[in-house]
């Protein structure tokens, strides 16, 4: 009986121990599951924090850009009084503000040489000079030099310029064999580059808004700048590779781009091509939607629109920075005898012509102008 009692006692102890071990295992499993849930929650919150950090950084960068723009507008327009504020403004102060604003406008007109008084009245003819290269590219003459050299920049990302002695050499079938190759230290992005007074100005590939000034003959970078607000969205919806489109007219170097803060409308900036500093910026009413290209001529922006599937290009938005043109009275101007699209249109102020790249073709458009 004592042996039986001892065996029963041992069985009960083993059973109790097994139950404890089972409970311990269950507790461990519950703890592991709880830890996994906790880990998932922590990782999710960390991911949310990273996203929030990126959003905050983006908002701060945008805010800084808008502050810079606002400061330039304040410098240009003077102090603006809130119409709802109960503030008595002395009459002399109002006169002083109006006087300063008028003086600023005079300086602006002087800077932009208000004697430039012609505007585009129509596109009278086209000439397809050659068909060579990719669908996207850019070609041009240097309007600031007396030479007749032709420059071809093939593709939306590349680092080689082809320089030709003249347009006849460029038109030859084996033209690439007679071209001088100029290799850039950094490739360009888009097709919005321009050549002026012996320098190539272009948007550096991989950068948000860096513009490089490159001496073509010496083959060196001489300067660079960052263009505030630019580079975040394409300048033209139908040419998405171009985030900054540089242009030349009678007054020098301009930059054309779009910003999310303007609802995608186009912004134009006057740049001093010697010092590479921003001189002034204008928000236009021209939309980047369905736009394929634009150019500056005599202080005026002309935006070219098309259909996403390609068609007849047309100018249907015009913006004069000096307000000398009533843009609402200008009819839509169509490009003649051609269906397709353009990746680049540059105005040459010396020859009063447009140098365009359309579906791999190099085109010259002759213009009709009239007095503003």
């Amino acid at each position: 009986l004592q042996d039986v009692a001892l065996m029963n006692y041992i069985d009960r102890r083993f059973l109790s121990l097994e139950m404890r071990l089972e409970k311990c295992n269950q507790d461990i499993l519950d703890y592991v599951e709880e830890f996994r849930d906790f880990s998932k929650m922590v990782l999710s919150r960390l991911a949310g924090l990273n996203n929030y950090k990126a959003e905050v950084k983006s908002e701060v960068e945008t805010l800084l850009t808008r502050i810079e723009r606002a400061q330039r507008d304040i410098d240009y327009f003077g102090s603006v009084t809130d119409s709802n504020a109960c503030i008595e403004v002395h009459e002399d102060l109002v006169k002083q503000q109006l006087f300063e604003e008028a003086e600023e406008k005079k300086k602006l007109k002087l800077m932009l040489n208000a004697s430039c008084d012609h505007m585009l009245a129509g596109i009278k003819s086209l000439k397809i000079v050659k068909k060579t290269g990719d669908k996207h590219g850019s070609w041009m003459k240097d309007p600031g030099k007396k030479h007749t050299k032709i420059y071809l920049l093939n593709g939306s990302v590349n680092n080689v310029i082809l320089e030709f002695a003249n347009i006849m050499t460029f038109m030859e079938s084996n033209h690439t064999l007679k071209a001088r190759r100029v290799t850039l230290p950094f490739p360009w992005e888009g097709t919005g580059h321009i050549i002026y007074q012996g320098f190539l100005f272009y948007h550096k590939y991989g950068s948000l808004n860096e513009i490089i000034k490159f001496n073509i003959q010496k083959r060196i970078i001489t300067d660079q700048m960052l263009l505030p607000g630019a580079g975040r969205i394409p300048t033209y919806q139908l040419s998405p590779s171009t985030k900054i489109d540089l242009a030349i007219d009678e007054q020098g170097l301009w930059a054309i781009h779009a910003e999310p803060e303007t609802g995608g409308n186009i912004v134009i900036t006057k740049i001093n091509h010697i010092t590479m500093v921003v001189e002034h910026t204008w928000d236009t009413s021209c939309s980047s939607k369905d736009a394929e290209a634009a150019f500056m001529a005599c202080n005026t922006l002309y935006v070219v629109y098309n259909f996403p599937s390609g068609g007849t290009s047309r100018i249907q938005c015009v913006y004069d920075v000096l307000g000398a043109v009533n843009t609402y009275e200008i009819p839509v101007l169509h490009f003649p005898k051609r269906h397709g699209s353009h990746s680049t249109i540059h105005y040459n102020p010396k020859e009063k012509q447009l140098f365009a790249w359309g579906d791999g073709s190099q085109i010259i458009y002759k213009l009709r102008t009239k007095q503003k």
Side-chain angles (χ1 to χ4, degrees), residues 221-272:
I221 292 176
T222 59
D223 208 345
Q224 62 268 340
M225 66 171 290
L226 299 178
L227 184 63
R232 290 171 291 163
I233 60 176
T235 306
Y236 317 111
Q237 184 190 51
L238 301 185
S239 299
S241 65
T242 300
K243 304 292 181 61
I244 299 175
D245 190 12
L246 300 171
I248 291 293
D249 75 349
E250 290 80 357
Q251 316 310 326
L253 180 63
W254 302 79
I256 307 169
H257 68 276
E259 296 184 13
E261 291 81 7
T262 64
N265 283 358
I266 291 175
V267 178
I268 51 180
T269 301
K270 184 69 181 67
I271 299 174
N272 187 310

Side-chain angles (χ1 to χ4, degrees), residues 33-45:
E33 187 66 26
E34 184 179 350
F35 184 75
R36 286 176 178 171
D37 293 339
F38 177 75
S39 298
K40 290 179 181 179
M41 180 188 70
V42 170
L43 291 175
S44 176
R45 291 190 177 182

Side-chain angles (χ1 to χ4, degrees), residues 161-217:
I161 308 172
L162 297 183
E163 179 187 82
F164 302 89
N166 51 54
I167 198 165
M168 298 305 296
T169 304
F170 171 66
M171 292 174 65
E172 292 179 6
S173 59
N174 59 345
H175 69 289
T176 55
L177 298 177
K178 296 186 178 181
R180 172 177 175 253
R181 297 172 63 89
V182 179
T183 302
L184 304 175
F186 303 104
W188 64 73
E189 180 171 343
T191 60
H193 18 267
I194 199 73
I195 292 175
Y196 186 56
Q197 294 189 351
F199 295 92
L200 170 70
F201 300 85
Y202 72 96
H203 180 196
K204 178 183 175 182
Y205 174 72
S207 72
L208 178 65
N209 54 7
E210 183 176 351
I211 299 174
I212 288 179
K213 179 180 180 181
F214 179 80
N215 188 309
I216 297 176
Q217 297 305 315

Side-chain angles (χ1 to χ4, degrees), residues 71 78 102 104 111 119 149 193 218 222 225 289 302 310 341:
Q71 185 60 51
E104 190 66 29
M111 178 190 76
M119 60 178 289
K149 292 180 180 178
H193 18 267
K218 296 181 179 179
T222 59
M225 66 171 290
K289 183 179 179 182
Y302 297 89
S341 61

Side-chain angles (χ1 to χ4, degrees), residues 22-35:
E22 184 178 352
K23 185 177 183 305
C24 181
N25 288 333
Q26 187 61 44
D27 288 343
I28 291 173
L29 293 174
D30 291 342
Y31 173 76
V32 169
E33 187 66 26
E34 184 179 350
F35 184 75

Side-chain angles (χ1 to χ4, degrees), residues 10-292:
I10 292 173
D11 288 341
R12 288 195 303 271
R13 297 294 294 177
F14 271 113
L15 181 61
S16 175
L17 182 60
E18 287 177 353
M19 292 176 64
R20 289 181 182 180
L21 287 173
E22 184 178 352
K23 185 177 183 305
C24 181
N25 288 333
Q26 187 61 44
D27 288 343
I28 291 173
L29 293 174
D30 291 342
Y31 173 76
V32 169
E33 187 66 26
E34 184 179 350
F35 184 75
R36 286 176 178 171
D37 293 339
F38 177 75
S39 298
K40 290 179 181 179
M41 180 188 70
V42 170
L43 291 175
S44 176
R45 291 190 177 182
L46 286 175
L49 287 174
N50 288 332
N51 292 335
Y52 180 72
K53 179 181 177 182
E55 291 175 2
V56 170
K57 181 180 179 182
S58 176
E59 290 178 0
V60 169
E61 291 175 349
T62 300
L63 179 60
L64 289 174
T65 299
R66 301 309 296 172
I67 289 174
E68 292 177 1
R69 292 283 305 283
Q71 185 60 51
R72 291 198 300 271
D73 290 340
I74 289 172
D75 293 340
Y76 174 56
F77 290 108
S79 302
V80 179
T81 304
D82 187 354
S83 60
N84 296 323
C86 298
I87 300 175
E88 293 184 2
V89 181
H90 196 276
E91 184 178 353
D92 292 340
L93 179 59
V94 175
K95 291 181 178 179
Q96 179 65 24
Q97 290 176 348
L98 292 175
F99 174 77
E100 290 177 355
E101 181 177 339
E103 287 297 309
E104 190 66 29
K105 288 183 178 180
K106 287 181 181 178
K107 291 179 182 178
L108 192 59
K109 287 186 177 181
L110 184 63
M111 178 190 76
L112 295 177
N113 184 9
S115 63
C116 185
D117 58 358
H118 66 269
M119 60 178 289
L120 184 61
I123 303 169
K124 61 182 180 181
S125 66
L126 71 85
K127 178 181 180 181
I128 298 178
V129 177
K130 196 173 181 67
K131 184 175 179 61
T132 183
D134 298 341
K135 181 178 180 181
H136 304 289
S138 182
W139 78 296
M140 67 203 75
K141 282 186 180 180
D142 183 347
K145 291 284 185 179
K146 295 182 180 180
H147 62 63
T148 59
K149 292 180 180 178
I150 296 292
Y151 297 92
L152 186 138
L153 296 88
N154 185 42
S156 56
V157 178
N158 203 339
N159 71 331
V160 177
I161 308 172
L162 297 183
E163 179 187 82
F164 302 89
N166 51 54
I167 198 165
M168 298 305 296
T169 304
F170 171 66
M171 292 174 65
E172 292 179 6
S173 59
N174 59 345
H175 69 289
T176 55
L177 298 177
K178 296 186 178 181
R180 172 177 175 253
R181 297 172 63 89
V182 179
T183 302
L184 304 175
F186 303 104
W188 64 73
E189 180 171 343
T191 60
H193 18 267
I194 199 73
I195 292 175
Y196 186 56
Q197 294 189 351
F199 295 92
L200 170 70
F201 300 85
Y202 72 96
H203 180 196
K204 178 183 175 182
Y205 174 72
S207 72
L208 178 65
N209 54 7
E210 183 176 351
I211 299 174
I212 288 179
K213 179 180 180 181
F214 179 80
N215 188 309
I216 297 176
Q217 297 305 315
K218 296 181 179 179
R219 304 193 182 195
I220 58 172
I221 292 176
T222 59
D223 208 345
Q224 62 268 340
M225 66 171 290
L226 299 178
L227 184 63
R232 290 171 291 163
I233 60 176
T235 306
Y236 317 111
Q237 184 190 51
L238 301 185
S239 299
S241 65
T242 300
K243 304 292 181 61
I244 299 175
D245 190 12
L246 300 171
I248 291 293
D249 75 349
E250 290 80 357
Q251 316 310 326
L253 180 63
W254 302 79
I256 307 169
H257 68 276
E259 296 184 13
E261 291 81 7
T262 64
N265 283 358
I266 291 175
V267 178
I268 51 180
T269 301
K270 184 69 181 67
I271 299 174
N272 187 310
H273 71 277
I274 298 175
T275 61
M276 295 293 284
V277 298
V278 171
E279 294 182 334
H280 198 75
T281 296
W282 294 263
D283 293 342
T284 78
S285 57
C286 298
S287 174
S288 61
K289 183 179 179 182
D290 293 333
E292 66 177 9

